[in-house]
Amino acid sequence: MNRFYPHPVIALEGWPFIIAGLIVSLLLSFCCGWWSLPFWLFTLFAVQFFRDPARDIPQDPDAVLCPADGRIVVVERATDPFRQTEALKISVFMNVFNVHSQRAPVDGTVTRVEYFRGKFLNAALDKASTENERNAVLATTRSGRDITFVQVAGLVARRVLCYVQAGEPIVRGERYGFIRFGSRVDVYLPLDAQATVSIGDKVKASETILARLPLTAPAAETPAAPASAPAATTAAMPAEATAAQTDEQQIVLAAAERAQAAAETVMKQE
């Protein structure tokens, strides 16, 4: 297990909210007393929302780690809309009380990053994957397997942040993005990946293993040998039958010619 995590315990994205909440809370405490309580609650909420703790990171070569804290809402075969291929889809829904930093699920290289503007539907809905604002990271593992992981904005989330670009290396467990205030992350894996989670499971970023992905793709099936020999045999059978019929006809004609010749001989003798 590796616990190295070069980021502060409170994500930098949260400091503006925390500092603003703290200042307002202090000012209202001096001026209004207990009326400042809602602002103190907001400040505490911001601290817990933007927490970004270090985690134990499994180093199994075939492990695909969970990119976010939350609950599993989808484990199914689906079409990867960014690669247009069949894939194993696993989705993690984050509520406002989960850690909202996203972490790389594998070691590899980013091949493409695509951002799409969209709606802000409830992130727990299936159609949020295709209709909501989202940011897709397409990556290739060190062993050459292609995976896709997508940040999807939610009903409250209005900002998707991604810090990686095409061509950059990623290391499992490192932070690559952040989504503010409730969202989901979709992961698309090759079909030979084996899911290790089920719908309803609570998961933690970098600690939970979502799936096992073989280091190499399965060998393509050897195509069946063309059935040329049977076809040739089948084609030869009518030819042989035709030849046999021709021989019989020749024998019958020869016999008829001999009988005719014998009849003519008898008539001449008479």
Side-chain angles (χ1 to χ4, degrees), residues 173-192:
E174 74 173 359
R175 182 154 62 96
Y176 78 89
F178 203 95
I179 310 177
R180 292 177 183 169
F181 308 121
S183 48
R184 71 188 277 168
V185 176
D186 296 330
V187 180
Y188 295 93
L189 303 171
L191 288 176
D192 59 321

Side-chain angles (χ1 to χ4, degrees), residues 41-57:
L41 292 176
F42 169 81
T43 303
L44 292 175
F45 169 78
V47 170
Q48 75 84 30
F49 181 87
F50 288 102
R51 70 194 188 281
D52 194 14
R55 296 279 172 76
D56 291 324
I57 304 174

Side-chain angles (χ1 to χ4, degrees), residues 104-218:
V106 296
D107 298 319
T109 303
V110 176
T111 55
R112 196 162 81 242
V113 178
E114 297 184 5
Y115 172 77
F116 300 87
R117 293 188 179 276
K119 301 177 182 179
F120 296 98
L121 303 174
N122 184 347
L125 301 176
D126 289 341
K127 60 182 178 181
S129 295
T130 56
E131 297 185 17
N132 279 19
E133 179 177 341
R134 55 202 181 278
N135 186 82
V137 176
L138 287 74
T140 301
T141 67
R142 290 178 179 174
S143 63
R145 307 305 306 275
D146 292 332
I147 75 169
T148 305
F149 36 104
V150 189
Q151 299 165 285
V152 182
L155 184 64
V156 181
R158 300 284 167 164
R159 187 74 186 278
V160 175
L161 305 173
C162 182
Y163 306 124
V164 295
Q165 298 178 353
E168 293 183 353
I170 52 174
V171 178
R172 63 177 62 200
E174 74 173 359
R175 182 154 62 96
Y176 78 89
F178 203 95
I179 310 177
R180 292 177 183 169
F181 308 121
S183 48
R184 71 188 277 168
V185 176
D186 296 330
V187 180
Y188 295 93
L189 303 171
L191 288 176
D192 59 321
Q194 297 295 321
T196 56
V197 294
S198 301
I199 293 176
D201 288 354
K202 293 183 177 180
V203 292
K204 288 186 175 182
S206 298
E207 281 191 357
T208 303
I209 297 176
L210 279 188
R212 298 283 180 178
L213 178 63
L215 299 182
T216 56

